[in-house]
Amino acid sequence: MTKVVHEKSELRAACDAVRASGGRLGLVPTMGALHDGHLALVAEARRRGATHVALTIFVNPLQFGPNEDFDRYPRTLEADVARCRDAGVDLVFAPPRDGMYPPGFQSEVQVTKLTTRLEGAFRPGHFTGVTTVVAKLFMLAGPCVACFGRKDYQQWKVIERMARDLDMPIDVVGMPTVRESDGLAMSSRNRYLSTEERERALGIARGLRAAHAAYGAGERDAATIAEMVRSEIAPRFDSIDYVDVADADTLEPFPSAIEGRAVITVAAKIGKTRLIDNTVLGEDACP
């Protein structure tokens, strides 16, 4: 039976009760509009020993810029709770905005170096909003295994760094991107796309696929691989924020040749819809 709570005190009490009974807590923070990628995180928490899983649903205003899609971001709580019941989620935490940020709220949590590039450069303040809300959720939930999708690769690395630097008793897990059968990364924002835009969006998967093929054939020049990806995206998208090849751990760009583990990250827009994706060369499944 899935219990739905809206107050922070209820979340804290429920999580404390799990540990008091000898259980292990799994935490899956989301903004709702759930899809199979989110439910894969629930399954991963179970696989890692969670006896109880709490899933949070909160469209966090702090991580949206003034010209972004906060107002139109899909809010589908009733359907989300139904999916949680089917997936065996024990607790859904869906707080109101003023429950998370009461009047007079003025504190924030920042990670510095990891947030300066990529999403951090194109969305100023975004990661401060992410780390602030996730830090609050971690403190409310307490010791647990917290699962995040690696589609938001930089976000995962930032949260991992925050938990490590601040000695939070949280096991932060990054799960591989869950994709549609044609390679499109699952995202709550995919529902914005028209049928024609949905087809164009496959340019990202095609680009990442080409990068995997080139890397497998021995190509190691970062600029060459980035251009392969860009050439598939550019004709299909209206604009590209970045196509980047970087160290998979530090997110620092390679000056020329790839040395060690490399992640390709992409952000591009079709109409008003901004999509992101990534792949770790030589490790992730080819999109």
Side-chain angles (χ1 to χ4, degrees):
M1 180 65 179
T2 300
K3 182 178 181 181
V4 181
V5 301
H6 303 284
E7 299 297 328
K8 291 179 291 186
S9 59
E10 295 176 296
L11 173 64
R12 176 172 279 140
C15 295
D16 287 345
V18 169
R19 289 183 292 270
S21 66
R24 177 167 166 79
L25 178 69
L27 182 69
V28 180
T30 82
M31 292 204 301
L34 302 182
H35 51 69
D36 287 350
H38 295 115
L39 301 186
L41 302 179
V42 174
E44 180 64 13
R46 296 284 189 198
R47 193 183 73 79
R48 290 177 178 262
T51 57
H52 296 72
V53 176
L55 184 144
T56 70
I57 298 174
F58 180 62
V59 183
N60 176 32
L62 296 192
Q63 68 190 71
F64 288 80
N67 298 313
E68 295 183 351
D69 59 340
F70 175 74
D71 289 334
R72 72 176 184 132
Y73 195 87
R75 291 160 171 85
T76 56
L77 182 60
E78 186 175 341
D80 290 345
V81 171
R83 296 206 71 176
C84 285
R85 290 195 180 102
D86 292 341
V89 171
D90 299 280
L91 183 72
V92 171
F93 175 55
R97 177 172 178 165
D98 60 2
M100 291 299 285
Y101 305 120
F105 185 88
Q106 56 185 294
S107 300
E108 58 186 31
V109 177
Q110 289 186 334
V111 173
T112 53
K113 189 174 181 180
L114 267 176
T115 63
T116 58
R117 303 183 62 248
L118 307 173
E119 291 297 282
F122 283 87
R123 302 180 68 188
H126 167 71
F127 282 121
T128 297
V130 169
T131 46
T132 297
V133 75
V134 173
K136 285 174 68 70
L137 292 172
F138 283 177
M139 287 186 282
L140 290 168
C144 63
V145 54
C147 297
F148 296 85
R150 290 199 333 233
K151 182 184 75 66
D152 298 278
Y153 192 92
Q154 187 178 17
Q155 173 180 280
W156 164 54
K157 299 304 291 184
V158 167
I159 292 169
E160 185 182 61
R161 171 54 63 184
M162 175 189 72
R164 183 185 307 128
D165 287 352
L166 299 183
D167 299 314
M168 294 177 171
I170 312 294
D171 180 11
V172 177
V173 174
M175 276 290 293
T177 301
V178 177
R179 298 181 180 277
E180 304 286 357
S181 59
D182 56 11
L184 183 68
M186 288 189 179
S187 169
S188 299
R189 289 183 169 94
N190 288 350
R191 66 186 66 196
Y192 295 158
L193 300 171
S194 68
T195 301
E196 183 265 342
E197 289 173 334
R198 172 72 172 66
E199 177 61 31
R200 289 164 58 194
L202 295 177
I204 292 179
R206 291 189 182 101
L208 297 181
R209 204 173 297 136
H212 270 280
Y215 185 84
E219 181 61 67
R220 292 297 183 271
D221 183 73
T224 298
I225 289 180
E227 184 53 36
M228 288 179 178
V229 179
R230 184 177 289 273
S231 66
E232 292 288 347
I233 298 172
R236 298 174 174 88
F237 279 69
D238 296 314
S239 63
I240 297 174
D241 283 351
Y242 58 80
V243 174
D244 192 85
V245 183
D247 183 282
D249 296 312
T250 67
L251 300 186
E252 289 298 311
F254 294 106
S256 54
I258 293 172
E259 297 180 4
R261 299 173 63 245
V263 61
I264 302 176
T265 53
V266 172
K269 292 179 182 177
I270 293 179
K272 295 181 179 180
T273 303
R274 186 174 185 272
L275 300 178
I276 63 172
D277 204 343
N278 68 83
T279 192
V280 178
L281 294 173
E283 293 183 17
D284 287 344
C286 189

